[in-house]
Amino acid sequence: MRKMSKYVLSCESTVDLTKSYLQQRHIAYIGYPYELNGRFYQDDFGETLSLESFYREMEQGASTKTAQINAYEFTQYFETFLSQGKDVLHICLSSGITGVLNAAQMAKNELEDKYPDRTIYLVDSLAASAGSGLLVEKSADLRDEGMDIEQLWRWVQENKLRVNHWFFSSDLKYYIRGGRISKTAGIAGTMLGICPLLDVDVKGRLIPREKIRGTKRTIAALNDKMCLLADNGQNYNESCFIAHSGCAELAMRAAELLNQNFPRIPGGVRIYQIGAIIGAHTGPGTVALFFWGKARNN
């Protein structure tokens, strides 16, 4: 039987797993706020507004706006654990795409003055979506095996760049809008059916790496990247996630190919939906692959 530690393992709703999974694994989380067509929501894994509805509205032209969790919200959140005599290990969304780590640090500084016998350990995941989810899951495994909070914090810091992200989108307009792809390249790519293949670099930023024509070839490229970079190659035997934004069929096609070529993945590739915070920037049509492998170096 797994032994539960007394400290709190914490993350943000942008891990893009499921609420039930986080509850099952005793992982705390804090949600981001967002707007859809001027209506305010809390990112709660699609409970208040289903992700299917969210992406359908985006496809129909709905405007989206996201906001960071602020220092006050982090202070309120962390204090619920510190006041119970528990330390906290919190894994943040990548500093390469948000400044939320700074807000968490401000809350940490304030609370550690108020609770001098307690500690908040912060981790910049340098990861996004279910990439940070993969890191959080492994952290829960190590916690349950008995690793103490400082050991776990050190392990995560030393291994977080081993989380590989590879993803593409069949709809480039949201990447153009966010400045991740130039307007000229995006228009040309759309006309030619090109799906840019992106990853996340050592600074946690989304970087276009290759231009591939057609979703079939791009899914094959995801498989090739995993063959090249995954721990133990095609004998890879750790968790592997695919996340998608309103394109379940593409995600299932990718998972089917990977399950054929990586038969030792425990339980097979797990498919999740990209949540509203990341999805507000990617838009519908993104498929992302996450696995443990060679550490990012560029």
Side-chain angles (χ1 to χ4, degrees):
M1 180 178 292
R2 288 178 170 176
K3 179 182 178 182
M4 289 298 301
S5 298
K6 293 184 179 180
Y7 59 89
V8 173
L9 176 61
S10 170
C11 64
E12 294 157 15
S13 58
T14 47
V15 294
D16 290 348
L17 300 178
T18 64
K19 184 175 181 179
S20 61
Y21 178 77
L22 295 180
Q23 291 173 334
Q24 175 193 344
R25 296 301 309 273
H26 303 282
I27 302 167
Y29 78 92
I30 182 171
Y32 285 67
Y34 71 94
E35 291 181 40
L36 182 70
N37 271 347
R39 301 189 302 273
F40 290 87
Y41 296 92
Q42 194 72 14
D43 185 24
D44 57 5
F45 302 95
E47 281 194 346
T48 302
L49 177 70
S50 74
L51 292 172
E52 291 82 3
S53 297
F54 175 80
Y55 288 117
R56 185 166 56 249
E57 291 205 34
M58 285 192 77
E59 287 173 345
Q60 294 170 356
S63 62
T64 58
K65 184 178 181 181
T66 61
Q68 290 182 185
I69 303 164
N70 62 41
Y72 174 78
E73 291 167 328
F74 270 122
T75 300
Q76 296 292 106
Y77 172 70
F78 289 147
E79 189 163 21
T80 61
F81 309 119
L82 302 183
S83 64
Q84 297 170 19
K86 297 179 180 179
D87 294 333
V88 179
L89 172 59
H90 180 76
I91 298 178
C92 290
L93 178 62
S94 171
S95 63
I97 57 178
T98 178
V100 75
L101 178 65
N102 296 328
Q105 184 66 52
M106 291 172 64
K108 168 184 164 72
N109 295 343
E110 177 181 339
L111 288 168
E112 287 186 343
D113 287 339
K114 185 175 180 180
Y115 296 89
D117 295 330
R118 301 270 60 85
T119 304
I120 300 170
Y121 292 82
L122 297 179
V123 175
D124 178 359
S125 70
L126 299 175
S129 186
S132 54
L134 198 66
L135 191 62
V136 167
E137 179 187 73
K138 185 66 172 179
S139 298
D141 292 341
L142 295 172
R143 174 204 62 190
D144 293 352
E145 289 169 9
M147 189 174 283
D148 69 36
I149 189 169
E150 185 172 354
Q151 289 174 318
L152 180 55
W153 176 76
R154 293 186 185 281
W155 187 94
V156 174
Q157 297 286 37
E158 291 169 1
N159 288 274
K160 62 189 180 184
L161 289 178
R162 291 179 48 236
V163 177
N164 281 242
H165 307 57
W166 290 95
F167 56 100
F168 70 90
S169 180
S170 58
D171 187 343
L172 302 183
K173 64 176 176 282
Y174 299 96
Y175 289 84
I176 298 169
R177 182 184 301 171
R180 293 180 176 88
I181 297 173
S182 71
K183 186 174 182 179
T184 301
I187 292 171
T190 300
M191 291 175 64
L192 296 172
I194 291 173
C195 298
L197 188 66
L198 301 92
D199 77 345
V200 173
D201 71 1
V202 294
K203 295 183 179 180
R205 302 172 300 185
L206 280 59
I207 306 294
R209 298 295 186 186
E210 299 178 23
K211 298 176 182 178
I212 303 171
R213 193 165 186 172
T215 56
K216 183 176 181 179
R217 290 178 180 175
T218 313
I219 287 171
L222 293 180
N223 177 81
D224 293 344
K225 293 296 183 185
M226 190 164 172
C227 287
L228 178 66
L229 299 170
D231 289 344
N232 302 315
Q234 288 182 265
N235 289 317
Y236 180 81
N237 61 354
E238 299 185 69
S239 292
C240 176
F241 300 160
I242 284 177
H244 71 92
S245 56
C247 51
E249 183 179 350
L250 282 178
M252 287 187 287
R253 282 166 50 190
E256 182 179 2
L257 179 62
L258 293 168
N259 283 327
Q260 291 172 0
N261 291 318
F262 297 88
R264 297 186 63 192
I265 295 172
V269 176
R270 284 151 54 188
I271 298 176
Y272 292 102
Q273 294 187 82
I274 294 174
I277 303 304
I278 303 296
H281 299 280
T282 68
T286 292
V287 175
L289 168 66
F290 309 96
F291 57 87
W292 290 100
K294 294 179 182 178
R296 289 170 258 161
N297 60 13
N298 60 3

